[in-house]
Structure formats: C-alpha cells, structure tokens
Amino acid sequence: MNATRGRGRPRAPETDTAILRAALELFVERGVEAASIEQIAKRAGVGKLTVYRRWSTKEDLIAQAIEQSVSTEVTPSPDDLHALTPREIIDRTLPAAAQMAASPGFRALVARIMGSAVSHPSLMAAYWTHYILPRRKLAALLLERAQQEGTVAPDADLDVLIDMMAGAVTYRVLQPDPPDADGMLRYLTSVYRQVGLYPR
C-alpha cells in the first residue's frame, strides 16, 4: 500500500513515521470508525492537509500502518532455510515469535483487524498479505522439509496443518487470559510438536 505523493516540498520521513504511528495507535485504541484523519493529524502533530497529501482515505493510511507494523518481525533468511533443519529454524525464531504474540499491543492489533474484517476488508487484506501469507509460505517450506525427514506424514494436507497452527495461535492470543511470553513459548513449542515440526 503506497502513500500518495503530494506536490511541493519533499516529504519528510519523520513526518510519515509520526502519522503512521498515530494512525496505528488510534486504530488499536478506538477502531476504524473512531480514528478520524483529524484525530490522527492531531496526535501526529501535523495538519490535516499534511495527512491528505499522503493518503486519500483513513483506510489507506491505517492499512499502511498495519503493513509497516507487522513487517518488522525477523524471519529466517533463504540461506538458513536450506542450511538448517526445521527444528533449528524454529529454535532460532520461536522465542521472538512468542514474545510478540504475548505482547498486549499485538493482541489488541489482531483483535481490531479481526473485528474490522467485514466492514473494512482492506485492513484484513493488508494484514493477510504482509503478515499471514509470508508465514504460511515459511510454514509450508518447513513442513515439506519435515515430510522429507519423516516427521510429518507424506500424505498430510499441508494447508490444513497450517490452518490448524494459525488457528490455534490466534485462538490463544485472543482468549480472555492469554499466556505471557514464557507460556506462549511453551504453547507454540507444543503446537509445532503436534504437527511434527518439532520432534522430541
């Protein structure tokens, strides 16, 4: 999702950052309907025209804020995917994934996105494209490797396994009393073990 470039002076990156941060904060705090361009501009310390020069609608702005927020997570490099075993890759990435999944900010963001999926599908589309799909592709690669190593059944439906993994994590993140980072790490380890990605 690209911001719309306005005419005049060159854009200041710090202004874009402030607007995106304000948009994400207000979306998480109040939802799409209550996060107006005026409120976003006020929190970012800029005028409404400054925002409109960059984004034509608040939905476009919030979608880009979501995209930027979820694209910062560290994932394995292509070299690691070929050089390491599935378990070694999981050992390297799971602690950070558990820390993020247990954070109140991530939990609130996921809840807001899920709640906006029908009324504002562009927000779910941004989350799906920039967060869900890359992780589904990574999970598919790991599962294919695990099939070759014999820890996942050769006739297993990988899409179903990935849905089960993603659904389990989402359910646990959104429950009323979610686990802390240590509890989430134990839970994620168990999920990966159940599908055959993390043999004992």
Side-chain angles (χ1 to χ4, degrees):
M1 190 78 63
N2 293 322
T4 302
R5 182 178 293 279
R7 297 177 181 177
R9 293 178 297 177
R11 282 171 42 174
E14 60 271 19
T15 300
D16 286 8
T17 299
I19 294 170
L20 289 165
R21 184 188 304 114
L24 189 70
E25 289 174 355
L26 284 166
F27 170 62
V28 169
E29 291 171 13
R30 306 177 188 179
V32 182
E33 285 73 15
S36 67
I37 290 289
E38 182 175 5
Q39 290 168 329
I40 292 169
K42 182 177 180 181
R43 180 165 297 198
V46 300
K48 285 195 296 183
L49 269 179
T50 301
V51 179
Y52 278 119
R53 287 192 187 104
R54 292 159 165 79
W55 293 275
S56 57
T57 69
K58 68 178 180 180
E59 287 80 9
D60 287 344
L61 169 52
I62 292 171
Q64 187 172 344
I66 291 170
E67 172 188 333
Q68 179 172 290
S69 172
V70 300
S71 64
T72 57
E73 186 183 348
V74 177
T75 56
S77 69
D79 289 341
D80 285 346
L81 289 175
H82 294 291
L84 303 176
T85 66
R87 173 156 184 168
E88 288 171 333
I89 292 170
I90 291 168
D91 281 336
R92 289 191 178 193
T93 59
L94 213 55
Q99 191 77 35
M100 187 182 75
S103 68
F106 180 76
R107 181 173 177 246
L109 177 61
V110 171
R112 285 295 188 193
I113 292 170
M114 296 295 180
S116 305
V118 174
S119 58
H120 298 84
S122 62
L123 304 184
M124 175 56 81
Y127 180 64
W128 187 267
T129 299
H130 298 283
Y131 184 81
I132 301 295
L133 280 184
R135 282 149 190 81
R136 288 187 71 91
K137 291 177 181 177
L138 173 60
L141 287 172
L142 293 178
L143 287 166
E144 288 168 2
R145 291 276 304 281
Q147 281 180 319
Q148 295 167 8
E149 295 176 6
T151 60
V152 171
D155 60 347
D157 187 322
L158 302 190
D159 278 335
V160 171
L161 288 182
I162 294 169
D163 286 345
M164 291 167 60
M165 294 163 64
V169 174
T170 301
Y171 173 80
R172 191 54 59 102
V173 165
L174 295 180
Q175 70 181 49
D177 186 23
D180 59 14
D182 289 339
M184 185 61 75
L185 181 59
R186 290 192 297 272
Y187 181 71
L188 291 176
T189 301
S190 181
V191 169
Y192 277 73
R193 182 170 289 135
Q194 291 299 317
V195 301
L197 278 177
Y198 201 84
R200 295 181 186 276

